[in-house]
Amino acid sequence: MAWMSAIATLMFLRTLPSLLPPELLPILTHLFHRLLHTSAADAVSIVVDDRDTNGIINPLFNTIETYLSSKSATSSKVMKVTQNPTSRALTYSMSPNQDLLEHFHGFQVKWTSKSHLAITQNGTSTEHRSIVLSFNEKHRQAIHTMYLPKVLHDAEELEFKNREKRLFSNGRDHYWTSVPFSHPSTFETLALDSKLKEAIKSDLTRFVEGRDYYRRVGRTWKRGYLLYGMPGTGKTSLISAIANFLDFDVYDLELTAVADNTQLRTLLLSTGSKCVIVVEDVDCTVDVMNRSSRGLKRTHDEMVSVNLSGILNFLDGLWSTCEGERLMVFTTNHVERLDPALLRPGRMDMHVHMPYCGAEAFRTLMKNYLGVGDHALLAEAEGLLQSAKMTPAEVVDVMMGCGDDAELGMRNVVEKMKRRRFEMAADVVK
């Protein structure tokens, strides 16, 4: 037991002088007192209060609490746990008067959570909290130049991951409004060729990890994607999968609600960092075919005055030099209609063709909607895919109409493909 070990240790220390030569006792006593004095003299503490002397909330306190929340779950003996109403994640924090030890680059630091009651001028009591960071004097430079910057960086990443993702949209009032973004699409559920999915994920990873690279080469930290293909090929699902993969907010820019290029610039400058800015069906809302035209396009009986020049500045002009990383995604059903100036690298860095449903995409849809990885009709269905030219959305429409009945779902999909192939052959004869 622990108490028995403590008693045994005390008894040993009491008998230690009789076990050592008398000439060693003064030396050991001197070293012991010097060690205690040195440890106390070299201890340095940094105190972070929850409020300043005027009672204003100290944001640094909350930042450090965020950092320690990830450590408290695994290191604290006593901890508090809460849940943000806008997030499913649990948040751990240190209870008052608890210590948390952490090792960094070979030395140890100690975090201590403190709390005390203070009497206000009207006689009521209020809780004041603080967090104390303690370390040895010889590590002062490493604390200030390496450890504290790491704490702030990690806290920022944790706050970002624990936040609620938002979907922003612009309206006639010229401002962004938002709702929670909860689209379930992921790269695992996406009906797309696996090699293409891996290529997109690798490109996105290089992008988000490229802060230093973009700064070194003197480029704005942004990347442009063009998604093109027939309606129903999964462009919107891919955008959602990208946002979920990066954990980014989404800004759905409706160009028909933008009065002119000046308003477009204002909207861009008011977007946050770590976001996906989406312009869907760009060829249907803005005249991007003729650089010399005024750019006016009639949409829903209204005249839109955002032109190609405004779009190009939006992509890579001075308007695009906002702080932080941004991914810009344009979609179109008719890539051949777009001006070549819009398509060049630096504006549309990655072109992604969204094809008709292929064999690999079909197997993904089978698993997602019918709950099966194989079926007796799979070979026949795969043989019909190329000639039937069905989009993933059309396949999903048939499968969802059958619920979880895999047999009925596969049978109906095969019949739909056969009808589609017959209709296409009849059109050719006409």
Side-chain angles (χ1 to χ4, degrees):
M1 295 183 181
W3 64 272
M4 295 180 65
S5 299
I7 293 176
T9 301
L10 289 174
M11 293 179 64
F12 172 74
L13 292 175
R14 291 184 62 182
T15 59
L16 185 61
S18 63
L19 301 177
L20 296 174
E23 59 271 18
L24 288 181
L25 288 178
I27 298 175
L28 291 177
T29 301
H30 174 73
L31 290 175
F32 179 71
H33 285 291
R34 183 176 178 183
L35 177 63
L36 289 179
H37 176 74
T38 301
S39 299
D42 291 345
V44 178
S45 295
I46 297 175
V47 180
V48 182
D49 293 317
D50 63 342
R51 297 174 183 271
D52 64 16
T53 54
N54 297 318
I56 307 240
I57 293 175
N58 180 5
L60 182 59
F61 180 87
N62 295 332
T63 298
I64 292 177
E65 267 207 324
T66 299
Y67 173 77
L68 293 176
S69 69
S70 64
K71 311 294 179 182
S72 299
T74 57
S75 302
S76 293
K77 298 296 184 183
V78 181
M79 69 198 81
K80 297 186 295 183
V81 61
T82 57
Q83 187 175 28
N84 190 313
T86 62
S87 171
R88 297 180 181 178
L90 298 178
T91 301
Y92 295 88
S93 59
M94 298 168 58
S95 293
N97 303 315
Q98 292 291 313
D99 294 335
L100 190 153
L101 301 179
E102 185 176 19
H103 288 85
F104 178 77
H105 285 207
F107 62 87
Q108 180 177 274
V109 300
K110 181 175 73 172
W111 293 95
T112 303
S113 174
K114 295 184 176 292
S115 174
H116 69 276
L117 292 177
I119 305 300
T120 61
Q121 292 181 349
N122 59 12
T124 61
S125 61
T126 180
E127 182 186 28
H128 283 264
R129 300 161 60 205
S130 60
I131 297 174
V132 181
L133 171 63
S134 304
F135 52 91
N136 191 284
E137 166 68 29
K138 63 183 179 181
H139 302 306
R140 182 189 291 266
Q141 183 176 5
I143 290 292
H144 289 293
T145 61
M146 294 190 294
Y147 181 66
L148 287 178
K150 172 188 176 297
V151 168
L152 298 179
H153 175 268
D154 291 355
E156 180 184 356
E157 291 295 317
L158 286 168
E159 287 176 345
F160 173 69
K161 289 185 178 297
N162 291 336
R163 87 200 190 294
E164 180 184 55
K165 291 197 296 294
R166 308 290 294 181
L167 171 63
F168 294 82
S169 61
N170 62 298
R172 299 294 175 185
D173 56 2
H174 314 330
Y175 296 104
W176 294 109
T177 58
S178 69
V179 295
F181 178 77
S182 56
H183 197 292
S185 178
T186 66
F187 278 102
E188 288 69 31
T189 62
L190 200 62
L192 200 62
D193 178 76
S194 60
K195 291 183 179 179
L196 180 56
K197 287 195 283 189
E198 289 303 316
I200 296 172
K201 288 165 63 176
S202 297
D203 185 77
L204 294 171
T205 301
R206 284 193 300 271
F207 166 66
V208 296
E209 294 177 353
R211 178 197 296 267
D212 294 337
Y213 172 77
Y214 279 85
R215 183 174 299 169
R216 178 169 59 84
V217 300
R219 296 288 298 273
T220 304
W221 195 11
K222 66 174 182 60
R223 193 152 180 82
Y225 272 55
L226 175 67
L227 312 185
Y228 65 97
M230 294 295 293
T233 50
K235 295 185 287 294
T236 300
S237 294
L238 176 55
I239 292 170
S240 299
I242 288 173
N244 286 325
F245 179 73
L246 298 177
D247 212 13
F248 278 13
D249 293 325
V250 177
Y251 286 80
D252 184 18
L253 179 59
E254 177 55 63
L255 290 177
T256 59
V258 181
D260 50 36
N261 292 339
T262 301
Q263 190 185 122
L264 178 62
R265 177 182 58 191
T266 301
L267 285 168
L268 174 64
L269 293 175
S270 61
T271 60
S273 62
K274 298 181 183 294
C275 70
V276 182
I277 302 173
V278 180
V279 179
E280 294 195 275
D281 298 322
V282 61
D283 56 298
C284 297
T285 54
V286 178
D287 188 350
V288 289
M289 296 178 62
N290 187 347
R291 188 190 295 263
S292 62
S293 71
R294 288 186 175 183
L296 298 179
K297 191 177 186 71
R298 184 172 294 278
T299 305
H300 303 301
D301 295 325
E302 296 182 15
M303 299 302 291
V304 181
S305 56
V306 175
N307 57 24
L308 181 59
S309 176
I311 293 295
L312 297 182
N313 275 302
F314 170 75
L315 289 172
D316 66 353
L318 290 176
W319 300 1
S320 69
T321 56
C322 303
E323 179 66 24
E325 63 269 49
R326 284 168 174 79
L327 189 73
M328 299 181 180
V329 181
F330 282 57
T331 74
T332 179
N333 298 332
H334 304 283
V335 67
E336 70 281 356
R337 296 181 182 176
L338 303 183
D339 190 299
L342 188 67
L343 303 178
R344 71 164 176 79
R347 290 167 179 163
M348 296 291 103
D349 302 288
M350 189 168 187
H351 296 195
V352 180
H353 175 235
M354 307 296 291
Y356 288 108
C357 188
E360 191 170 0
F362 185 82
R363 287 192 289 270
T364 300
L365 295 178
M366 277 178 54
K367 182 179 179 182
N368 292 347
Y369 293 93
L370 300 180
V372 294
D374 196 8
H375 193 274
L377 293 174
L378 177 58
E380 184 178 3
E382 290 180 342
L384 292 166
L385 280 171
Q386 185 173 2
S387 56
K389 295 187 182 304
M390 289 181 64
T391 65
E394 291 174 313
V395 174
V396 167
D397 184 60
V398 177
M399 289 181 173
M400 289 193 68
C402 303
D404 57 358
D405 190 336
E407 186 66 31
L408 178 62
M410 289 297 295
R411 194 164 59 244
N412 287 357
V413 166
V414 168
E415 289 301 318
K416 174 74 172 181
M417 290 180 182
K418 289 179 178 178
R419 288 197 303 272
R420 172 62 61 81
R421 188 174 63 173
F422 176 78
E423 291 167 357
M424 293 175 64
D427 290 338
V428 171
V429 172
K430 290 179 182 178

